[in-house]
Amino acid sequence: MNKKIRNLLAATVMFSGLVTFGCANDVKSFQTDLSKQIETVDKQYKKLDYLSTDDQTTLKKELENSKEVEKSGSRSDLEDEISHLKKILTPFESKDRKIAGEITTAGELRYNAAIDTTNKEKLTDLIAKSRDFSDYESFEQACQTALTQTKKQLVEAVSNQANAAIGSTYIPQTDKVDLTAILEKVKKAENITIAYSYLSNLQTTTSQVVLRTKANESKIKAAEAKAEADKKAAQAAAEKAKADADRVAQEQAQAAQAAQAAQAAQAAQAAQAAQAAQAAQAAQAAQAAAGTSGSINNTNHTKWAVEDGYNWHNRKGHSRIIPPGGSLPPGYHWQV
């Protein structure tokens, strides 16, 4: 009996030792796991780009506290701390992503030509402070305000550009319809965030439409210029044809007038010549009559007397020269 009790007591002592040894090993294992988890969290949080100084301080305190728990011999405390550390970075990573997205957007917006100097300076200042700000809530609110103001200005500026494009006389009809549809979505947006979501499409479409409108304008103006040039050329040709016709008509009229004048002058000259001839004949006849009015040469110059039956051409040997005051011989006649 005593032997059985001793064996039982020995078995009990051995089991208790094994349990104690197993528990000690479990605690050591959890301490190792916690140490690894502390190291993991420390590395991961240092990779976060946009973490406020307040949050950094909070994380450092959490890690210091975890190191104190690591020294504890309580398995439950170690398990709880490991579980806590596995989830501790989640909210900070969410904050980092949010700020990172806003800073990226700010970086893109500040180079947009449509925003003014004031908004550009605000965005530049936020970007500069994004790696060193104390309170997350304040900085995030500042980002939201600056981005909202800038987006609103951009939406208004791009909408004005779109309206200007739509108002162009030369915008192609299909482009006008497409651009108007996008602009209507922007106008009907419930808030600036929704309106801004259409901005990229609106801005891109507006730029493309402006280019096509300019090309269409050039094409139409070129056609108008050609039509105007053709009109002027036709008008000039008509005027030249008329001028040529008028010139030809004038030249013909002048030629006819000159011919008529020449004919009249010729007729007048002929009439004058005939009149002169008649006058000469009359004078000659008068002179002859006067010179032959008797048998005496009563002129102051010599006169020919030609024998009757002869004339001036065959007078040789049959004619005489009678001086002034001389008498006409019988059988002769005066030859003028």
Side-chain angles (χ1 to χ4, degrees):
M1 183 66 179
N2 289 336
K3 186 177 181 180
K4 289 183 178 179
I5 292 174
R6 282 198 303 270
N7 290 338
L8 180 61
L9 288 173
T12 302
V13 170
M14 183 180 292
F15 177 76
S16 298
L18 290 173
V19 171
T20 302
F21 179 76
C23 289
N25 284 340
D26 284 347
V27 170
K28 186 65 176 176
S29 176
F30 278 107
Q31 286 175 328
T32 301
D33 290 345
L34 179 57
S35 177
K36 290 180 179 178
Q37 189 63 41
I38 291 171
E39 184 179 357
T40 299
V41 171
D42 185 55
K43 288 181 178 179
Q44 289 179 345
Y45 109 79
K46 288 178 179 178
K47 292 180 181 180
L48 300 179
D49 293 320
Y50 304 101
L51 204 59
S52 69
T53 54
D54 291 347
D55 287 338
Q56 291 180 44
T57 300
T58 299
L59 274 172
K60 288 177 181 179
K61 287 181 179 180
E62 288 282 357
L63 291 175
E64 289 299 325
N65 181 65
S66 294
K67 290 177 182 179
E68 290 298 323
V69 175
E70 182 186 355
K71 299 175 184 178
S72 167
S74 171
R75 174 178 172 175
S76 62
D77 289 345
L78 291 170
E79 285 183 314
D80 290 343
E81 192 62 24
I82 291 172
S83 178
H84 173 65
L85 284 182
K86 287 182 178 179
K87 296 181 291 185
I88 195 173
L89 283 179
T90 300
F92 297 106
E93 289 172 340
S94 177
K95 290 179 180 180
D96 179 79
R97 285 194 298 272
K98 189 168 182 59
I99 295 296
E102 291 171 342
I103 294 302
T104 299
T105 302
E108 294 171 351
L109 291 178
R110 68 171 172 165
Y111 292 112
N112 196 300
I115 67 170
D116 58 24
T117 303
T118 301
N119 281 328
K120 184 175 292 186
E121 289 176 350
K122 287 180 181 179
L123 296 176
T124 302
D125 184 60
L126 286 172
I127 293 170
K129 293 178 179 178
S130 62
R131 299 304 179 96
D132 185 22
F133 59 95
S134 59
D135 178 61
Y136 167 80
E137 297 295 338
S138 299
F139 187 74
E140 201 277 333
Q141 182 59 47
C143 288
Q144 283 290 322
T145 301
L147 292 177
T148 298
Q149 291 175 347
T150 304
K151 288 177 179 179
K152 182 178 180 181
Q153 185 180 50
L154 277 176
V155 169
E156 289 178 354
V158 177
S159 295
N160 290 338
Q161 293 171 359
N163 280 317
I166 290 172
S168 172
T169 306
Y170 302 99
I171 183 173
Q173 186 60 31
T174 54
D175 283 341
K176 185 175 183 179
V177 172
D178 293 342
L179 198 54
T180 301
I182 301 172
L183 193 58
E184 281 300 312
K185 291 181 180 179
V186 174
K187 291 179 180 178
K188 293 178 180 179
E190 296 179 359
N191 53 59
I192 194 62
T193 301
I194 297 175
Y196 183 75
S197 67
Y198 299 114
L199 187 69
S200 179
N201 189 17
L202 179 62
Q203 197 166 21
T204 301
T205 304
T206 300
S207 298
Q208 293 172 346
V209 168
V210 168
L211 291 176
R212 284 194 289 268
T213 298
K214 287 181 179 179
N216 194 41
E217 179 179 359
S218 298
K219 182 179 179 181
I220 292 175
K221 285 187 175 181
E224 290 175 347
K226 184 178 183 304
E228 182 65 21
D230 291 345
K231 180 181 177 181
K232 288 182 178 180
Q235 185 177 356
E239 290 175 353
K240 183 178 183 303
K242 184 177 182 302
D244 290 344
D246 290 345
R247 178 177 54 78
V248 170
Q250 185 178 9
E251 289 175 352
Q252 289 176 344
Q254 289 174 346
Q257 186 177 4
Q260 186 177 4
Q263 187 177 5
Q266 186 178 8
Q269 186 177 8
Q272 185 177 8
Q275 186 178 5
Q278 289 177 354
Q281 289 178 355
Q284 191 176 23
Q287 185 180 9
T292 57
S293 58
S295 59
I296 304 300
N297 180 8
N298 56 7
T299 66
N300 58 359
H301 57 271
T302 60
K303 293 180 65 174
W304 284 90
V306 178
E307 185 178 352
D308 293 338
Y310 294 91
N311 57 35
W312 180 258
H313 298 290
N314 58 6
R315 72 185 184 282
K316 188 172 181 179
H318 300 279
S319 62
R320 297 179 185 180
I321 297 177
I322 307 300
S327 299
L328 180 69
Y332 283 78
H333 63 270
W334 295 111
Q335 181 66 44
V336 180

